[in-house]
Amino acid sequence: MSGPRIRVAAYVLRYRSTPELLVFDHVDAPEAGTQVPAGGVLPDESLEEAVLREVAEETGLTEVAIVGPIAVDHKPREDNGQPRQTTFFQLTTDPDGADVWHHRVHGDGADAGMEFACRFVPLPLVEGLADTQDAWLSRIDGRGGKAVSSS
């Protein structure tokens, strides 16, 4: 039996009068729900490299900074029950960037060609995220970007 699929997820925040979280929806698959950037870690890639790559691939944002890991989630995939381990990271970005934009994924990966409708939403969230990706948001210190805990 192989180990769990190793993944990362990104809570990208910008700080205005209230903290705002980067989320997106699949333009061609709205049933997928609202999500944060997330995906698998490539061979020979660190978790930090993977989270930066996923943010750039899925949203086009490259001007982000890692604050630190927030939590490690050991939850099986909802669709097939396969084990996975997801490390959630807190990142920050420029508060003066775009509020809403569309991004098409480039490259030859599984997401290639997908279009995502990206936006920043204020915290706390009004509606939950797909796949309970919002489970660890309580570990964010909304006053300025400090990770509360990584355990």
Side-chain angles (χ1 to χ4, degrees), residues 119-138:
R119 67 188 184 283
F120 281 93
V121 295
L123 292 177
L125 295 177
V126 174
E127 295 183 21
L129 299 175
D131 196 25
T132 62
Q133 288 182 330
D134 52 330
W136 305 105
L137 282 172
S138 64

Side-chain angles (χ1 to χ4, degrees), residues 15-100:
Y15 293 89
R16 291 183 165 179
S17 60
T18 184
E20 297 175 338
L21 177 69
L22 173 62
V23 298
F24 66 82
D25 293 290
H26 291 259
V27 171
D28 298 320
E31 68 278 3
T34 301
Q35 303 176 34
V36 295
V41 177
L42 300 174
D44 299 321
E45 184 178 47
S46 72
L47 296 176
E48 291 80 4
E49 290 168 333
V51 78
L52 292 172
R53 176 183 49 76
E54 287 294 338
V55 170
E57 283 180 1
E58 295 182 352
T59 70
L61 280 182
T62 57
E63 297 297 318
V64 295
I66 296 174
V67 174
I70 298 297
V72 178
D73 190 309
H74 299 274
K75 184 175 72 170
R77 285 180 52 146
E78 289 182 348
D79 60 346
N80 63 16
Q82 293 297 311
R84 64 182 176 176
Q85 174 182 305
T86 305
T87 301
F88 284 76
F89 282 87
Q90 179 179 348
L91 298 88
T92 58
T93 193
D94 184 356
D96 299 322
D99 295 330
V100 177

